[in-house]
Every structure is written in structure tokens, then in C-alpha cells.
Amino acid sequence: MAVVEPSVAKVEPAGEKTPRSTTGSDEKPSAEAEAADATFQPRDATDEEIESLPHVTDRVPVAAWVVVLAGAAERSTYFGIIAPWPENYMQNPRGSHSVPGALDLGQATATNISNAFFLFSFLTPMLFGLVSDIWLGRYRTLMVGLTLYLCGCVLLLTTSLPAALDRGAGLGGLVGAMIFIGLGVGAVKATFYPFLGDQYTRQKPQLARRKNGDLVVQDATRTLQLMYNIYYWFTNLAALSTLATTFLEKEYDFWAANLFATISLVVSIVVLVVWAGKLVKISPQGNNLPMATKTVLCAAKSGFKLDHAKQDYQQTHFGRTVPWTDQFVDEMKRGLLACRVILSFVVFYLCISQMFNNLVSQAGQMQLHGIPNDMVQAFSGVACIIFGPAIQAMYSFLARRRIAFGPIARITAAFFFCGGAMAYAAGVQQLIYDSGPCYDRPFSCAASTNGTEPNDVNVWIQLPLYFILALAEIFGFVTASEYAYSKAPRDMKTIVQAFTQLTACLGSVLGMALSPVSRDPYLVTMYACLAGSMGLCTVLFWWKFHKYDRVDAELDRLDDEVRDDEGRDGSDRTSA
């Protein structure tokens, strides 16, 4: 068991004056700068340096790149599987000439089953979060989940073969596969983001010197942000697997698409097994959940303020000694803040989920010009691939100039773009209803030639919608995962990450409640209501939480205080 410690660096002499950086300088270093660079030793940055010098990212560890590649392969499987599920595999009949099909369950039933799967896969992360933080640790829990995931993929593959579908095995196989895949996805969603964050072990801001002689601060928070943005970029690259699977389902059959997804998952498992010895694996340090529960109950009995659960307050007002430290209470306050922020994503998740059901159906109501109706959603991933590096460059530009764009501001931007996307979707749906041959009853009139002629609207008018949603995803999902990891108590990070999936679960419940109006001719009203709800959430979220951007750095420094206390006590986290 190797100890995972922050990097230790030499400290410059106390009398040495720290020169200020000249941000953005491209000049070649002078001889004096080269000589200084040769003797410079990185060290922990002082508070003055943190405030005055530009913040840059540190180098991303090799272990983090390995985890990113494994995660991208898993996401290739996930998106490759769910792309055909609701609107084609479940909704449409076999032998349809316009779009592929298998089970012929209809749109409402297919949407309900799809939402039920998402609901299940959003509930299971909490189970695996508890298992990870209390018992197995993140790596082992992740591998258990991937094994269950693989079982589901194999079951789906075998029951989607033409012979199995002819014998009526399709629906039963789908239900069984959804159970296994839902469990596997739950383990991945609970453990993967914290496991990726674990691979970066340096926590305190470090003073570093650039090649041109400028001094900068290597910021752990910005490095973590970069790692999550890289992962999200790779996952969207992997999400282009929907292009392959939708083509395979159309040209060959669903079994070919499921085979492709299964192979991708095997690649993910192999990468994590082969590189297991190089990965940072944090061992659980006991079960802090009972103490956390007692802390919250104690605060509830003392005026519903967590500060009242601290040792001095309890001793002064009630004459009792509590077993937790004041730092633990501060960690709990910060973790509950993260949970409140994440809970605000309910409507956001509901809007984003439209990509996997109703927006695919919307595409099917338009002129497809030879492309599958579920292929257009892949352009959300293409847009993320385009915008991801640009947004990361924007973050770096702002950080070099000390312009604040904190996590709360980024999430607010995500909500704004998401609301705009739903408003655009309402406009596209109204355009469909205003066009023939069937107007607000697509495929349901005699002029549609037995349900084969869509309304006269080009499907590519939907494209800007996915580009707007891509901006919302980058600002929203990446920031939420970063916030959950950085603000959670050190030994409850997987549980807090799993809480994000409970929020997504609530979004799926709302989606199921909307299923009665998720049909013609009510879709314009539905999209307009989603846009209005998202706009209201944007305003309320900024009003309630914007003040926390001003103290974000202070909240992050709490980990340093806890780590220093543990160092004085001789305790630390271990790597298994």
C-alpha cells in the first residue's frame, strides 16, 4: 500500500523577493532568467502569490489519460446502445421501410420504457456510491459495475439477433439487458468522475516558472477542470459511435450495432485491467456516513445551523462533547452546498433528456433525405468536440487576466443555453405543424401514403438546436462533476457524485409525467413550457447561489487545512 501525498517542494529563502509575472509575454528569456530558471525549485505558493500571479494548469498525469481513454470507450458503448433504443428498436415495427424497427411498442410506451431505464440507472449510483466509499473503493466498484455492464451488452446482442426476434425474445431480452446495463451504468456514474479526480494527487497551489522566466501558480482547481474537460471532449468523440450504430442498424440490423457497442466495452475493461498497477486507488478510510448523519441531526436540534454542531457551541450551550471535529462540520457544510447546487439541475436534466426521445421523434417527422432519424442527435457530440477546446481556451484566457468565471456563473450559462434550446425546439415543432401534408398530425393523414411521407420540413433545421445544447452540456455537466468532486467531504466523494444522478432521476420522473403530452399535437406547448421552466430556474439559481463564486477559493482551501491537520496527526490516505 503506497501513500498518496501532495508533492513536496523546496522553499525559497525567506528573504528572496518573488517577481511578478508579465502575463502573456512571448519574449525570449534573458541570460539572467535562464540562470534563475536553472536554480528555481517549485514550491507551495504563498497567499500573496496566489492573489497576484496568473493561474495555469499543471501537467495532466499519465494515469488520468488512461482513465480518460477507458471512460471514452465505455461512453462509446453507452451512446451506441441507447441511440436506437427508444424511437427505433422499441417504437417501430420490424420491416418498416422508412425507419428501422423491432418491437413495435409505439412512441408513448417506448418513451416510458426509456425513461424507466434512465430512472433505474440514475437510482443505482447511490448504491454503488455507498459500496465504494465504505467497502470496495472506487476502482474495484468500477470493475464490478463494468462486469455487470458487459453481461447486459451480451444479453442484448444475443436477443437482438433476427432468429431471437422471430421467436419473441426481443422484449424479454431488452428488459433483462436494461437491468444489467442499468446497474453497470450506475457504478460508472458513481465512481468514474471521482476516480478520475483521484489521479491528480497534488492539491496545494504551486509556484512555477515558465520558460520565459515568468512566475505562475499551478492551480489544482484549474487542473481538475482541465481533466474533466478533456474527459468530456473524449466522451463526445466516443459518442460519435451513434453514427456507426445508427448506420449499422439501418444497413444490417440491430445485432450489428449491439456487437459494436459490446466490443467498445471490452476495450474499456481491458485498458483498466492492463494499466491497473499505474492507477491511483484510494482505499476507503472507514464509514463516515453515520457521523455525517449525526452531525446533521445535531445541527437540526440546535437551530438547523451546521455551525451549531461544532464543538465549542455544543460545549457552551449544552455541555456536551461531540466526536467530530470543526473541520468535519465545515466539510459537511461545503458538501451540502454542492448537493443544493446539484439539486438545481432537475429541469436541466429533463430538457437534456429530450435528445434521446422526443427530439429524435421530431426528426422523424421531417424530410430525412436518406439519413437515419436518430443520427442528427450525434451532432451534439460533434458540437461538443468543436466547442470544448474553444471553451477551455476561454477559461485559460480569463484566468491569465484574473477575470472571474466561477462554477456558479458557468452553471448559470448552461441553464440559459438549455432554455434557449428548448425555445428553438418549440419553434421547429411549430414549423412542422405548419407544414403539409399532415400538419399537426404527422404520418396520420391519407396524404402521407400509409404513414411513409413526413411533413415537408428539412431535418437539418434541427441542427442549431444540438449546437446550443452542446454549449449547455459543456458548461453544465462538466462543472457539476467538478463541483461535486471538489466540494464533497474527502471520504464521501462518490456518494456526493451519486447524488448528481439522483437529480437526474428526478428529471426522468418528470419526463415520465410529461409522457401524456409527449405526442402530437401538444409538442409545441411541451417544449415552450420546458423553455419557460428553464428560464425561471436560471434566474432563481443565480439569485440564490451567485455569492458562492466569491468564496470558491476559500472553500477549496478547506481540504488543505484538513490535510495539514491529518499530517500533524500522522494520518493520510492510502493507495491500494
Side-chain angles (χ1 to χ4, degrees):
M1 302 264 281
V3 177
V4 179
E5 299 176 339
S7 299
V8 179
K10 296 181 180 179
V11 180
E12 293 182 357
E16 183 175 338
K17 184 178 179 181
T18 301
R20 287 185 175 271
S21 166
T22 55
T23 305
S25 173
D26 294 325
E27 298 178 2
K28 293 183 179 179
S30 64
E32 292 81 359
E34 290 178 350
D37 187 62
T39 59
F40 178 80
Q41 291 291 332
R43 59 170 172 80
D44 291 347
T46 64
D47 289 341
E48 180 183 355
E49 291 161 347
I50 292 172
E51 290 296 324
S52 62
L53 294 177
H55 286 218
V56 299
T57 57
D58 197 359
R59 181 175 298 176
V60 176
V62 173
W65 286 106
V66 172
V67 175
V68 164
L69 292 175
E74 181 275 327
R75 291 288 88 183
S76 175
T77 296
Y78 179 75
F79 289 112
I81 284 178
I82 67 170
W85 265 2
E87 270 51 60
N88 286 350
Y89 191 72
M90 287 188 273
Q91 176 179 329
N92 302 323
R94 291 192 74 193
S96 173
H97 297 291
S98 55
V99 289
L103 302 182
D104 193 21
L105 300 177
Q107 180 175 352
T109 302
T111 299
N112 271 335
I113 294 177
S114 174
N115 282 326
F117 167 75
F118 288 127
L119 178 67
F120 178 63
S121 66
F122 292 145
L123 284 173
T124 53
M126 186 56 69
L127 168 65
F128 287 103
L130 292 170
V131 170
S132 172
D133 282 346
I134 296 173
W135 181 28
L136 292 180
R138 290 188 260 279
Y139 176 78
R140 292 175 182 173
T141 304
L142 177 61
M143 296 309 296
V144 169
L146 290 174
T147 302
L148 294 170
Y149 203 154
L150 183 60
C151 292
C153 289
V154 172
L155 179 59
L156 182 65
L157 169 62
T158 54
T159 56
S160 63
L161 292 168
L165 291 174
D166 291 340
R167 289 171 173 78
L171 183 57
L174 175 67
V175 172
M178 281 183 163
I179 293 173
F180 280 108
I181 293 173
L183 290 169
V185 168
V188 170
K189 289 183 175 180
T191 60
F192 201 88
Y193 273 105
F195 186 54
L196 175 59
D198 291 343
Q199 306 311 305
Y200 183 72
T201 56
R202 177 180 290 172
Q203 299 295 328
K204 292 185 177 181
Q206 296 283 301
L207 184 69
R209 190 188 296 276
R210 287 176 169 171
K211 291 182 179 180
N212 63 3
D214 290 348
L215 291 178
V216 293
V217 173
Q218 290 179 337
D219 192 327
T221 300
R222 288 211 58 230
T223 304
L224 189 67
Q225 179 190 80
L226 172 63
M227 287 166 55
Y228 283 154
N229 273 309
I230 290 173
Y231 171 62
Y232 200 70
W233 189 88
F234 269 90
T235 58
N236 280 282
L237 187 65
L240 296 181
S241 63
T242 56
L243 298 175
T245 54
T246 52
F247 173 80
L248 289 170
E249 75 175 67
K250 182 176 177 64
E251 298 298 326
Y252 296 96
D253 208 346
F254 290 99
W255 67 267
N258 294 331
L259 176 61
F260 177 91
T262 303
I263 292 172
S264 295
L265 187 61
V266 171
V267 170
S268 176
I269 294 172
V270 169
V271 167
L272 289 174
V273 170
V274 170
W275 286 86
K278 303 293 184 181
L279 303 177
V280 178
K281 306 167 193 170
I282 305 298
S283 299
Q285 299 297 300
N287 183 5
N288 280 335
L289 192 59
M291 184 176 291
T293 304
K294 291 177 181 178
T295 304
V296 173
L297 290 175
C298 179
K301 295 176 182 177
S302 306
F304 291 93
K305 292 184 177 180
L306 270 174
D307 282 336
H308 291 177
K310 290 184 176 180
Q311 292 176 338
D312 287 346
Y313 187 93
Q314 290 295 310
Q315 184 66 45
T316 301
H317 291 79
F318 302 105
R320 61 189 177 202
T321 303
V322 293
W324 49 81
T325 65
D326 289 353
Q327 286 89 348
F328 182 78
V329 175
D330 288 334
E331 282 193 277
M332 287 295 302
K333 286 177 61 179
R334 191 182 63 174
L336 289 174
L337 168 63
C339 291
R340 288 162 56 205
V341 168
I342 290 165
L343 188 62
S344 305
F345 275 74
V346 172
V347 179
F348 182 82
Y349 275 108
L350 172 62
C351 294
I352 293 294
S353 69
Q354 302 305 306
M355 282 198 296
F356 304 109
N357 41 62
N358 290 316
L359 290 176
V360 177
S361 296
Q362 184 185 76
Q365 296 175 345
M366 296 185 277
Q367 296 288 342
L368 295 173
H369 301 289
I371 68 168
N373 65 310
D374 49 2
M375 182 180 285
V376 185
Q377 65 169 319
F379 284 92
S380 173
V382 173
C384 286
I385 292 170
I386 296 171
F387 292 145
I391 290 175
Q392 183 60 42
M394 181 191 72
Y395 291 159
S396 298
F397 176 86
L398 296 175
R400 285 196 300 269
R401 283 153 182 80
R402 311 291 297 163
I403 299 174
F405 190 37
I408 301 301
R410 299 199 298 272
I411 293 171
T412 303
F415 288 1
F416 174 80
F417 284 120
C418 189
M422 290 300 101
Y424 187 89
V428 171
Q429 194 66 50
Q430 186 61 56
L431 185 61
I432 293 171
Y433 287 168
D434 289 341
S435 303
C438 295
Y439 299 97
D440 62 354
R441 301 285 182 177
F443 297 112
S444 300
C445 65
S448 70
T449 317
N450 295 323
T452 61
E453 183 64 28
N455 284 11
D456 191 20
V457 180
N458 194 310
V459 71
W460 294 112
I461 199 172
Q462 207 185 36
L463 190 60
L465 167 64
Y466 289 105
F467 276 70
I468 300 170
L469 284 174
L471 290 171
E473 288 184 65
I474 295 171
F475 284 121
F477 287 147
V478 177
T479 306
S481 297
E482 172 198 337
Y483 208 75
Y485 183 82
S486 62
K487 301 299 186 289
R490 294 181 64 205
D491 296 317
M492 298 177 65
K493 292 186 181 295
T494 313
I495 293 174
V496 175
Q497 185 65 45
F499 185 78
T500 66
Q501 302 309 309
L502 285 181
T503 304
C505 173
L506 293 176
S508 282
V509 170
L510 290 178
M512 296 177 74
L514 283 176
S515 60
V517 295
S518 298
R519 58 188 177 89
D520 302 313
Y522 308 116
L523 291 170
V524 172
T525 302
M526 185 198 74
Y527 289 128
C529 288
L530 289 178
S533 299
M534 199 69 254
L536 179 61
C537 286
T538 304
V539 173
L540 293 177
F541 179 81
W542 177 252
W543 170 73
K544 182 66 177 177
F545 293 108
H546 75 277
K547 60 185 177 183
Y548 293 107
D549 269 351
R550 294 195 292 269
V551 295
D552 190 65
E554 180 182 337
L555 293 173
D556 288 339
R557 281 198 289 271
L558 178 60
D559 281 338
D560 296 336
E561 297 173 8
V562 175
R563 190 176 296 104
D564 290 342
D565 287 345
E566 288 180 350
R568 286 191 291 270
D569 293 339
S571 61
D572 208 335
R573 301 155 77 189
T574 59
S575 173

